[in-house]
Amino acid sequence: MPEPRQEEPPSSHKTTLSEKNDNKMYELSFAAAGENGAGSYDLAPDAGRFTSAQLERVAAGFDRRPVYRFAKRAFDVAFSACVLVVLSPLLLAIALAVFLDDPHGSPLFFQERVGLRGRTFRMVKFRTMCVDAEQRLDALMGANEKDGPVFKIAEDPRVTRAGRLLRKTSLDELPQFWNVLAGDMSIVGPRPALPREVAQYSGRERLRLSVRPGITCYWQTRRNRDSISFAEWVDLDLLYVLKASLWTDVKLIMQTVGCVLTGQGE
């Protein structure tokens, strides 16, 4: 299947939304929330490919778009409920496969993630790693293949046999529709980050927290996503906040289905 058409500019920084950035600092404030409240952050002139006006729109999230915010939430609830009902046999089958492959732990994996405005929540997914994966992380940090605060390696020894297939097809993400129903996530939005990653964010990178995190996003649907730098990943997330619409969300969902069916996961 050919690579899904993308709405964002190519990952290279040759394509920009703006050719200029103002020669001053911008302080964009989020409303602090919870222990990880966003606070206020300075954005330097080299903070990305966006103008100051665009960055201010990103910082506001969807607060200035109440109609879209309501429609997006209604769509999230209806779509997620349908997915969980229709795919319930598949969900049970995956849970059984995970348990049979590695019966030492639960088929579900819960992890603290950072969401809208810095609020933390427990994200759920099918377990794809051994039960002591978190304890083994420090020993693998030297093999990290990603820049920035993100940790990823192609041949992670902690991944189980069933986990490799689930990751390849992205089916391990299906339980996150529960997070969408709970209001912690949206179907489309920046992928939720770990607290230890957010602790290393620059002001520009923390703008990812201006909207609810999502199950899928521009980065998730790119065939070359493993070769995209973290700075480019953030740019794609900020671009989504600027371009977000119901039609954009529907197109990204359709592209994600294509990625699942063709096994374009990590």
Side-chain angles (χ1 to χ4, degrees):
M1 182 176 179
E3 179 180 357
R5 294 178 60 186
Q6 305 296 325
E7 294 300 317
E8 74 276 17
S11 60
S12 169
H13 280 272
K14 292 180 181 178
T15 302
T16 64
L17 287 179
S18 171
E19 298 298 328
K20 299 179 181 179
N21 279 312
D22 292 345
N23 296 318
K24 59 181 180 180
M25 303 286 285
Y26 302 101
E27 183 170 303
L28 304 179
S29 297
F30 289 127
E35 294 181 358
N36 295 298
S40 62
Y41 311 101
D42 290 332
L43 296 173
D46 61 349
R49 63 179 73 172
F50 305 96
T51 65
S52 60
Q54 289 169 332
L55 291 174
E56 288 168 358
R57 285 173 54 197
V58 171
F62 301 142
D63 291 346
R64 300 175 184 174
R65 303 176 58 189
V67 175
Y68 170 67
R69 190 173 70 247
F70 175 82
K72 182 179 179 68
R73 179 58 186 158
F75 176 82
D76 282 347
V77 171
F79 189 90
S80 297
C82 288
V83 168
L84 291 172
V85 171
V86 173
L87 297 185
S88 56
L90 176 61
L91 294 171
L92 291 173
I94 292 174
L96 179 61
V98 172
F99 177 77
L100 292 177
D101 183 52
D102 183 9
H104 301 294
S106 169
L108 295 176
F109 175 69
F110 295 87
Q111 189 176 51
E112 186 180 51
R113 296 293 179 110
V114 181
L116 176 66
R117 309 298 187 193
R119 301 185 188 97
T120 58
F121 68 97
R122 293 187 75 203
M123 188 189 77
V124 60
K125 61 187 299 186
F126 284 119
R127 183 169 60 86
T128 60
M129 292 185 174
C130 55
V131 293
D132 61 343
E134 292 295 305
Q135 289 72 34
R136 296 170 59 183
L137 178 61
D138 288 342
L140 296 171
M141 289 301 292
N144 189 15
E145 298 171 359
K146 295 291 290 184
D147 64 339
V150 181
F151 176 83
K152 285 185 181 292
I153 54 178
E155 299 297 329
D156 196 321
R158 302 172 299 166
V159 179
T160 63
R161 290 174 300 176
R164 294 192 188 282
L165 177 60
L166 291 176
R167 287 182 167 219
K168 185 70 174 176
T169 57
S170 298
L171 292 177
D172 58 317
E173 313 286 1
L174 285 177
Q176 288 166 37
F177 283 103
W178 285 111
N179 289 120
V180 176
L181 284 179
D184 295 320
M185 293 179 62
S186 180
I187 296 174
V188 181
R191 289 295 294 154
L194 293 163
R196 66 170 179 265
E197 296 171 349
V198 174
Q200 303 177 55
Y201 276 7
S202 66
R204 169 180 165 276
E205 292 161 356
R206 290 182 73 94
L207 290 176
R208 301 178 75 244
L209 309 179
S210 64
V211 298
R212 282 191 180 95
I215 297 176
T216 190
C217 58
Y218 278 142
W219 173 83
Q220 191 86 5
T221 60
R222 292 184 66 99
R223 181 171 294 178
N224 66 333
R225 68 188 187 191
D226 288 334
S227 63
I228 293 176
S229 70
F230 184 67
E232 292 168 329
W233 183 351
V234 171
D235 278 347
L236 293 176
D237 288 337
L238 303 190
L239 179 63
Y240 167 73
V241 179
L242 289 173
K243 296 186 64 176
S245 68
L246 285 181
W247 178 231
T248 299
D249 290 352
V250 169
K251 287 190 290 184
L252 281 169
I253 291 171
M254 292 190 294
Q255 291 169 3
T256 301
V257 172
C259 292
V260 170
L261 295 177
T262 55
Q264 294 180 27
E266 57 186 284

mmCIF file of all heavy atoms in Angstrom, residues 159-178:
data_model
loop_
_atom_site.group_PDB
_atom_site.id
_atom_site.type_symbol
_atom_site.label_atom_id
_atom_site.label_comp_id
_atom_site.label_asym_id
_atom_site.label_seq_id
_atom_site.Cartn_x
_atom_site.Cartn_y
_atom_site.Cartn_z
ATOM 1 N N VAL A 159 11.156 -6.392 24.627
ATOM 2 C CA VAL A 159 9.895 -6.639 23.924
ATOM 3 C C VAL A 159 9.642 -8.140 23.795
ATOM 4 O O VAL A 159 10.532 -8.904 23.418
ATOM 5 C CB VAL A 159 9.914 -5.982 22.536
ATOM 6 C CG1 VAL A 159 8.610 -6.264 21.786
ATOM 7 C CG2 VAL A 159 10.119 -4.471 22.662
ATOM 8 N N THR A 160 8.442 -8.561 24.090
ATOM 9 C CA THR A 160 8.072 -9.971 23.997
ATOM 10 C C THR A 160 7.750 -10.341 22.549
ATOM 11 O O THR A 160 7.658 -9.474 21.674
ATOM 12 C CB THR A 160 6.842 -10.265 24.872
ATOM 13 O OG1 THR A 160 5.723 -9.499 24.377
ATOM 14 C CG2 THR A 160 7.105 -9.880 26.318
ATOM 15 N N ARG A 161 7.543 -11.659 22.309
ATOM 16 C CA ARG A 161 7.208 -12.104 20.957
ATOM 17 C C ARG A 161 5.867 -11.537 20.502
ATOM 18 O O ARG A 161 5.755 -11.006 19.387
ATOM 19 C CB ARG A 161 7.178 -13.639 20.906
ATOM 20 C CG ARG A 161 8.534 -14.306 21.045
ATOM 21 C CD ARG A 161 8.376 -15.813 21.129
ATOM 22 N NE ARG A 161 7.566 -16.203 22.291
ATOM 23 C CZ ARG A 161 7.207 -17.451 22.569
ATOM 24 N NH1 ARG A 161 7.577 -18.441 21.741
ATOM 25 N NH2 ARG A 161 6.487 -17.725 23.643
ATOM 26 N N ALA A 162 4.870 -11.632 21.354
ATOM 27 C CA ALA A 162 3.569 -11.057 21.016
ATOM 28 C C ALA A 162 3.672 -9.533 20.899
ATOM 29 O O ALA A 162 3.020 -8.917 20.056
ATOM 30 C CB ALA A 162 2.531 -11.431 22.071
ATOM 31 N N GLY A 163 4.519 -8.950 21.734
ATOM 32 C CA GLY A 163 4.688 -7.512 21.710
ATOM 33 C C GLY A 163 5.226 -6.987 20.398
ATOM 34 O O GLY A 163 4.853 -5.900 19.948
ATOM 35 N N ARG A 164 6.103 -7.747 19.757
ATOM 36 C CA ARG A 164 6.662 -7.302 18.472
ATOM 37 C C ARG A 164 5.562 -7.188 17.416
ATOM 38 O O ARG A 164 5.537 -6.224 16.633
ATOM 39 C CB ARG A 164 7.757 -8.265 18.014
ATOM 40 C CG ARG A 164 8.966 -8.271 18.922
ATOM 41 C CD ARG A 164 10.156 -9.006 18.319
ATOM 42 N NE ARG A 164 11.216 -9.134 19.314
ATOM 43 C CZ ARG A 164 12.035 -8.163 19.660
ATOM 44 N NH1 ARG A 164 11.927 -6.985 19.079
ATOM 45 N NH2 ARG A 164 12.978 -8.358 20.569
ATOM 46 N N LEU A 165 4.669 -8.164 17.391
ATOM 47 C CA LEU A 165 3.566 -8.110 16.431
ATOM 48 C C LEU A 165 2.612 -6.974 16.763
ATOM 49 O O LEU A 165 2.158 -6.244 15.869
ATOM 50 C CB LEU A 165 2.823 -9.443 16.424
ATOM 51 C CG LEU A 165 1.591 -9.518 15.511
ATOM 52 C CD1 LEU A 165 1.993 -9.264 14.068
ATOM 53 C CD2 LEU A 165 0.897 -10.862 15.654
ATOM 54 N N LEU A 166 2.316 -6.798 18.036
ATOM 55 C CA LEU A 166 1.409 -5.732 18.430
ATOM 56 C C LEU A 166 1.986 -4.361 18.088
ATOM 57 O O LEU A 166 1.264 -3.465 17.632
ATOM 58 C CB LEU A 166 1.116 -5.817 19.931
ATOM 59 C CG LEU A 166 0.282 -7.018 20.385
ATOM 60 C CD1 LEU A 166 0.148 -7.023 21.899
ATOM 61 C CD2 LEU A 166 -1.089 -7.001 19.730
ATOM 62 N N ARG A 167 3.266 -4.195 18.299
ATOM 63 C CA ARG A 167 3.896 -2.911 17.980
ATOM 64 C C ARG A 167 3.951 -2.682 16.468
ATOM 65 O O ARG A 167 3.783 -1.556 16.005
ATOM 66 C CB ARG A 167 5.307 -2.859 18.568
ATOM 67 C CG ARG A 167 5.315 -2.700 20.078
ATOM 68 C CD ARG A 167 6.717 -2.602 20.629
ATOM 69 N NE ARG A 167 6.674 -2.143 22.012
ATOM 70 C CZ ARG A 167 7.533 -1.289 22.540
ATOM 71 N NH1 ARG A 167 8.521 -0.806 21.813
ATOM 72 N NH2 ARG A 167 7.433 -0.912 23.799
ATOM 73 N N LYS A 168 4.206 -3.741 15.734
ATOM 74 C CA LYS A 168 4.273 -3.622 14.281
ATOM 75 C C LYS A 168 2.942 -3.160 13.706
ATOM 76 O O LYS A 168 2.891 -2.387 12.749
ATOM 77 C CB LYS A 168 4.667 -4.974 13.685
ATOM 78 C CG LYS A 168 4.883 -4.958 12.177
ATOM 79 C CD LYS A 168 6.132 -4.179 11.812
ATOM 80 C CE LYS A 168 6.426 -4.275 10.322
ATOM 81 N NZ LYS A 168 7.588 -3.437 9.929
ATOM 82 N N THR A 169 1.854 -3.632 14.284
ATOM 83 C CA THR A 169 0.515 -3.284 13.813
ATOM 84 C C THR A 169 -0.134 -2.154 14.612
ATOM 85 O O THR A 169 -1.253 -1.735 14.297
ATOM 86 C CB THR A 169 -0.399 -4.521 13.894
ATOM 87 O OG1 THR A 169 -0.413 -5.006 15.239
ATOM 88 C CG2 THR A 169 0.096 -5.612 12.954
ATOM 89 N N SER A 170 0.558 -1.695 15.659
ATOM 90 C CA SER A 170 0.047 -0.642 16.556
ATOM 91 C C SER A 170 -1.215 -1.055 17.304
ATOM 92 O O SER A 170 -1.915 -0.213 17.872
ATOM 93 C CB SER A 170 -0.230 0.656 15.774
ATOM 94 O OG SER A 170 0.953 1.167 15.198
ATOM 95 N N LEU A 171 -1.516 -2.347 17.352
ATOM 96 C CA LEU A 171 -2.698 -2.814 18.061
ATOM 97 C C LEU A 171 -2.553 -2.703 19.576
ATOM 98 O O LEU A 171 -3.555 -2.767 20.302
ATOM 99 C CB LEU A 171 -2.998 -4.271 17.680
ATOM 100 C CG LEU A 171 -3.453 -4.500 16.238
ATOM 101 C CD1 LEU A 171 -3.639 -5.984 15.964
ATOM 102 C CD2 LEU A 171 -4.753 -3.739 15.950
ATOM 103 N N ASP A 172 -1.315 -2.545 20.049
ATOM 104 C CA ASP A 172 -1.131 -2.371 21.493
ATOM 105 C C ASP A 172 -1.751 -1.071 21.996
ATOM 106 O O ASP A 172 -1.981 -0.909 23.200
ATOM 107 C CB ASP A 172 0.362 -2.412 21.841
ATOM 108 C CG ASP A 172 1.165 -1.350 21.116
ATOM 109 O OD1 ASP A 172 0.927 -1.140 19.902
ATOM 110 O OD2 ASP A 172 2.043 -0.730 21.742
ATOM 111 N N GLU A 173 -2.068 -0.141 21.085
ATOM 112 C CA GLU A 173 -2.635 1.144 21.482
ATOM 113 C C GLU A 173 -4.152 1.103 21.665
ATOM 114 O O GLU A 173 -4.741 2.056 22.185
ATOM 115 C CB GLU A 173 -2.299 2.210 20.419
ATOM 116 C CG GLU A 173 -0.849 2.242 19.959
ATOM 117 C CD GLU A 173 0.085 2.849 20.982
ATOM 118 O OE1 GLU A 173 -0.386 3.224 22.066
ATOM 119 O OE2 GLU A 173 1.286 2.948 20.688
ATOM 120 N N LEU A 174 -4.808 0.023 21.244
ATOM 121 C CA LEU A 174 -6.274 -0.007 21.261
ATOM 122 C C LEU A 174 -6.900 0.306 22.624
ATOM 123 O O LEU A 174 -7.924 0.997 22.687
ATOM 124 C CB LEU A 174 -6.771 -1.368 20.758
ATOM 125 C CG LEU A 174 -6.682 -1.596 19.243
ATOM 126 C CD1 LEU A 174 -7.137 -3.014 18.888
ATOM 127 C CD2 LEU A 174 -7.519 -0.571 18.492
ATOM 128 N N PRO A 175 -6.346 -0.189 23.751
ATOM 129 C CA PRO A 175 -6.978 0.137 25.039
ATOM 130 C C PRO A 175 -7.020 1.627 25.350
ATOM 131 O O PRO A 175 -7.758 2.045 26.258
ATOM 132 C CB PRO A 175 -6.102 -0.619 26.048
ATOM 133 C CG PRO A 175 -5.542 -1.767 25.278
ATOM 134 C CD PRO A 175 -5.278 -1.197 23.917
ATOM 135 N N GLN A 176 -6.264 2.429 24.639
ATOM 136 C CA GLN A 176 -6.255 3.863 24.909
ATOM 137 C C GLN A 176 -7.580 4.531 24.557
ATOM 138 O O GLN A 176 -7.817 5.675 24.944
ATOM 139 C CB GLN A 176 -5.094 4.530 24.179
ATOM 140 C CG GLN A 176 -3.748 4.198 24.786
ATOM 141 C CD GLN A 176 -2.582 4.576 23.895
ATOM 142 O OE1 GLN A 176 -2.613 5.597 23.224
ATOM 143 N NE2 GLN A 176 -1.553 3.744 23.887
ATOM 144 N N PHE A 177 -8.455 3.809 23.847
ATOM 145 C CA PHE A 177 -9.788 4.366 23.625
ATOM 146 C C PHE A 177 -10.534 4.523 24.952
ATOM 147 O O PHE A 177 -11.432 5.350 25.061
ATOM 148 C CB PHE A 177 -10.574 3.496 22.646
ATOM 149 C CG PHE A 177 -10.158 3.694 21.205
ATOM 150 C CD1 PHE A 177 -9.356 2.772 20.564
ATOM 151 C CD2 PHE A 177 -10.561 4.826 20.501
ATOM 152 C CE1 PHE A 177 -8.962 2.954 19.247
ATOM 153 C CE2 PHE A 177 -10.187 5.022 19.184
ATOM 154 C CZ PHE A 177 -9.379 4.091 18.556
ATOM 155 N N TRP A 178 -10.147 3.731 25.978
ATOM 156 C CA TRP A 178 -10.698 3.947 27.323
ATOM 157 C C TRP A 178 -10.245 5.294 27.861
ATOM 158 O O TRP A 178 -11.019 6.013 28.519
ATOM 159 C CB TRP A 178 -10.254 2.831 28.269
ATOM 160 C CG TRP A 178 -10.965 1.538 28.071
ATOM 161 C CD1 TRP A 178 -10.448 0.378 27.590
ATOM 162 C CD2 TRP A 178 -12.346 1.263 28.347
ATOM 163 N NE1 TRP A 178 -11.403 -0.605 27.541
ATOM 164 C CE2 TRP A 178 -12.586 -0.090 28.010
ATOM 165 C CE3 TRP A 178 -13.396 2.021 28.859
ATOM 166 C CZ2 TRP A 178 -13.828 -0.697 28.152
ATOM 167 C CZ3 TRP A 178 -14.644 1.424 29.012
ATOM 168 C CH2 TRP A 178 -14.852 0.081 28.662
#
